[in-house]
């Protein structure tokens, strides 16, 4: 039987993994890296994916697209190199590359995959992710939630009985989920999150701040200048996760009648933290929501697992520790843990891994539309699946001969 691969299709970075003899392996891509930037470019009628796309984006900003995951599940058309694409077509390019990299590692064809999505993704976003897999030539056997995958990876081959809090803060989304692990049963207690909150927002906030500084203030910014600034800003952000101060240095950013314009700015960690604090604090809402939905207090949490690149920011770690009163687990790789969990789920589906049961929940409330365009909730968020609810509704008018059942998902009444 051919191998089923596990894919973490991230907003910023993607990872592919498989289980070999019960041990997870993260597959190194063609470029020699364990993570692949989720960036696609169209250049001279050829698609480039990953590092190749990333390396040319400054000179080809119109022909390069990143963070496509933020658009998945919408009908919004995406322009890439003057050509219109659907978001799932772009995502498929990334999946195709991961598939090829896995095939070259395994030396055989790969046709099946498990793909992870943020727990908070709605049905449309999940279906579109599946569609992207199909376009890439992958049968998507299961879509699983990223925090659930992370917990699977954390709990694999450990005989534990714990309540774990998974906090995922990536490039485009954040998730907060609570799981109970015991005797190989992984039960999601609650999940909450924001599909529009991540490191991208932090970069954007820093960018807005930089635009107010001299000599950027008032300077006309074209795509190329913006791309160079964004790149330098992200680099500075990464440096501030270990250094206390960093400098942004972009020579010949632009020019005017007085000659070339260079940009230089020295950024301290404390200034950085001051700028990004509102975004970090925004994650607290989901943390609190996850706790209250699970009817738990911070003291009930045994272990905190940090997932996603943005959890490397010291301020984020500090806040999580403050909110949950616990030092996060150190032996989990925040970049790889989700893909490894997907690979574990793949091996469960292949019948190679036994004694693991996964109980997930509905991230959003499900209901039907009733008179007056209102949503009558039927299955509340965080209900363990599978579940069923029966309710009798009556027609709105006398002698009504038909009804249209409109199923809704979300929390707005
Ligand atoms: P996704 O799951 O959305 O693909 P990742 O988990 O790969 O995202 O995280 C990517 C985000 O993490 C980016 O915004 C990136 O700038 C940020 N990031 C990665 N490493 C660091 C670091 N050392 N310090 C701060 N932010 C980081
Ligand atoms: Mg991620």
């Amino acid at each position: 039987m051919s191998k089923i691969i596990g894919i973490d299709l991230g907003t910023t970075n993607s990872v592919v993994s498989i289980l070999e003899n019960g041990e997870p392996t993260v597959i190194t891509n063609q470029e020699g890296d364990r993570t692949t930037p989720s960036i696609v470019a169209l250049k001279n009628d050829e698609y480039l994916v990953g590092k190749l796309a990333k390396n040319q984006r400054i000179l080809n900003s119109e022909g390069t697209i990143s963070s496509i995951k933020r658009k998945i599940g919408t009908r919004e058309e995406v322009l890439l190199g003057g050509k219109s694409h659907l978001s799932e077509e772009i995502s498929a390019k990334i999946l195709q590359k991961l598939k090829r990299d896995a095939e070259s590692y395994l030396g055989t064809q790969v046709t099946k995959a498990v793909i992870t999505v943020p727990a908070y993704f709605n049905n449309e976003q999940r279906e579109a992710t599946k569609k992207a897999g199909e376009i890439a030539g992958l049968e998507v056997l299961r879509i699983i939630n990223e925090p659930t995958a992370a917990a699977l990876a954390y709990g694999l081959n450990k005989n534990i009985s714990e309540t774990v809090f998974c906090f995922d803060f990536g490039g485009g989304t954040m998730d907060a989920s609570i799981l109970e692990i015991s005797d190989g049963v992984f039960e999601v207690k609650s999940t909450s999150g924001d599909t529009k909150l991540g490191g991208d927002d932090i970069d954007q906030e820093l960018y807005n701040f930089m635009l107010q500084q001299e000599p950027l203030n008032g300077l006309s910014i074209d795509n190329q200048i913006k791309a160079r600034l964004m790149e330098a800003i992200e680099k500075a952000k990464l440096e501030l996760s270990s250094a206390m101060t960093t400098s942004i240095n972009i020579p010949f950013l632009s020019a005017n009648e007085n000659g070339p314009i260079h940009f230089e700015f020295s950024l301290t960690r404390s200034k950085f933290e001051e700028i990004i604090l509102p975004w970090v604090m925004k994650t607290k809402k989901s943390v609190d929501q996850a706790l209250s939905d699970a009817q738990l207090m911070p003291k009930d949490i045994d272990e905190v697992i940090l997932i996603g690149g943005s959890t490397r920011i010291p301020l984020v770690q500090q806040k999580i520790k403050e909110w949950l009163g616990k030092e996060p687990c150190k032996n989990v790789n925040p970049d790889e843990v989700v893909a490894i969990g997907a690979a574990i789920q793949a091996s469960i589906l292949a019948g190679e891994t036994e004694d693991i049961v996964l109980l997930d929940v509905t991230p959003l409330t499900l209901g039907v539309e009733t008179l007056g365009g209102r949503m009558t909730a039927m299955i509340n968020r965080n209900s363990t699946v599978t579940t069923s609810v029966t309710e009798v509704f009556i027609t709105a008018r006398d002698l009504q001969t038909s009804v249209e059942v409109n199923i809704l998902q979300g929390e707005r009444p």
Side-chain angles (χ1 to χ4, degrees):
M1 182 173 175
S2 77
K3 276 276 177 197
I4 309 171
I5 53 175
I7 295 176
D8 169 7
L9 181 61
T11 311
T12 322
N13 295 296
S14 297
V15 182
V16 54
S17 170
I18 48 152
L19 228 64
E20 290 177 304
N21 307 319
E23 281 302 316
T25 304
V26 169
I27 294 174
T28 301
N29 65 19
Q30 212 79 59
E31 296 75 49
D33 302 319
R34 292 160 75 86
T35 60
T36 299
S38 304
I39 302 179
V40 177
L42 184 58
K43 199 179 170 190
N44 309 328
D45 266 345
E46 197 197 340
Y47 287 96
L48 303 173
V49 182
K51 203 181 197 170
L52 297 179
K54 188 173 185 174
N55 287 347
Q56 55 86 64
R57 74 174 155 179
I58 288 181
L59 295 172
N60 179 28
S61 58
E62 252 116 78
T64 308
I65 185 141
S66 53
S67 299
I68 190 65
K69 189 173 174 179
R70 284 195 148 181
K71 296 217 169 79
I72 197 101
T74 68
R75 301 317 300 160
E76 203 180 312
E77 283 186 20
V78 189
L79 268 186
L80 179 63
K83 251 192 184 167
S84 159
H85 297 74
L86 292 173
S87 55
E88 51 262 43
E89 290 168 349
I90 306 284
S91 294
K93 298 286 174 211
I94 301 165
L95 291 171
Q96 249 159 19
K97 170 169 170 53
L98 300 173
K99 177 181 185 282
R100 271 198 312 272
D101 286 335
E103 285 171 341
S104 85
Y105 173 83
L106 292 165
T108 69
Q109 219 194 349
V110 172
T111 55
K112 293 181 177 135
V114 168
I115 303 180
T116 60
V117 295
Y120 223 55
F121 255 23
N122 65 28
N123 197 51
E124 257 133 35
Q125 293 166 309
R126 287 164 197 264
E127 288 299 325
T129 303
K130 237 176 157 167
K131 184 80 198 295
E134 275 165 32
I135 299 171
L138 287 168
E139 185 190 344
V140 182
L141 298 184
R142 192 79 49 102
I143 293 281
I144 67 166
N145 294 332
E146 289 161 9
T148 312
L152 267 181
Y154 164 78
L156 182 72
N157 300 332
K158 281 196 198 99
N159 202 352
I160 47 172
S161 221
E162 285 179 359
T163 302
V164 299
F165 195 109
C166 293
F167 181 83
D168 183 346
F169 197 20
T173 61
M174 68 122 334
D175 267 9
S177 298
I178 300 176
L179 290 97
E180 239 173 58
I181 308 176
S182 112
D183 289 332
V185 177
F186 291 71
E187 183 174 4
V188 181
K189 290 310 222 182
S190 67
T191 188
S192 183
D194 192 331
T195 52
K196 294 196 167 60
L197 174 57
D200 286 359
D201 299 296
I202 286 175
D203 296 352
Q204 187 61 43
E205 191 68 42
L206 286 171
Y207 174 72
N208 294 344
F209 170 81
M210 292 302 163
L211 286 192
Q212 291 157 22
Q213 313 306 314
E214 288 303 327
L216 298 182
N217 193 356
L219 189 76
S220 112
I221 307 274
D222 63 18
N223 281 336
Q224 206 188 105
I225 295 178
K226 179 166 184 193
R228 288 185 70 193
L229 276 167
M230 290 307 281
E231 189 166 281
I233 283 168
E234 199 203 354
K235 192 164 153 271
K237 175 182 78 169
L238 302 194
E239 279 171 13
L240 287 174
S241 286
S242 46
M244 294 308 285
T245 171
T246 184
S247 59
I248 297 174
N249 238 314
I250 317 177
F252 301 98
L253 183 62
S254 187
N256 61 16
E257 59 282 3
N258 303 325
I261 296 173
H262 313 296
F263 181 57
E264 251 189 277
F265 192 86
S266 172
L267 186 62
T268 60
R269 190 189 282 176
S270 64
K271 184 69 199 170
F272 167 73
E273 291 180 341
E274 182 191 317
I275 298 167
I276 69 161
L277 185 66
W279 292 97
V280 176
M281 291 310 289
K282 266 183 122 172
T283 65
K284 184 163 192 292
K285 192 169 156 237
S286 303
V287 169
D288 292 343
Q289 181 83 61
L291 282 169
S292 77
D293 280 358
Q295 295 180 317
L296 293 174
M297 306 285 282
K299 66 170 173 44
D300 302 317
I301 304 295
D302 298 309
E303 195 68 79
V304 177
I305 303 174
L306 297 183
I307 311 157
S310 298
T311 62
R312 290 218 167 88
I313 298 173
L315 179 68
V316 173
Q317 296 181 2
Q318 180 199 321
K319 288 290 168 199
I320 287 293
K321 197 179 145 195
E322 202 177 297
W323 298 335
L324 297 174
K326 208 154 270 102
E327 201 70 61
C329 175
K330 291 274 183 250
N331 45 24
V332 168
N333 180 331
D335 300 319
E336 299 179 352
V337 66
V338 170
I340 290 171
I344 295 169
Q345 177 65 30
S347 88
I348 294 171
L349 293 175
E352 291 162 6
T353 298
E354 286 166 2
D355 307 326
I356 291 182
V357 179
L358 203 57
L359 297 173
D360 221 323
V361 296
T362 52
L364 298 157
T365 300
L366 288 161
V368 291
E369 183 181 339
T370 47
L371 194 63
R374 296 193 63 80
M375 167 164 164
T376 298
M378 293 185 68
I379 296 174
N380 288 324
R381 67 164 187 267
N382 291 318
S383 302
T384 304
V385 284
T386 57
T387 182
S388 70
V389 167
T390 307
E391 205 172 317
V392 177
F393 293 87
I394 56 164
T395 47
R397 282 180 287 108
D398 287 343
L399 307 175
Q400 187 175 333
T401 55
S402 71
V403 288
E404 187 179 296
V405 181
N406 199 2
I407 301 171
L408 304 168
Q409 185 174 34
E411 306 311 315
R412 279 180 302 138

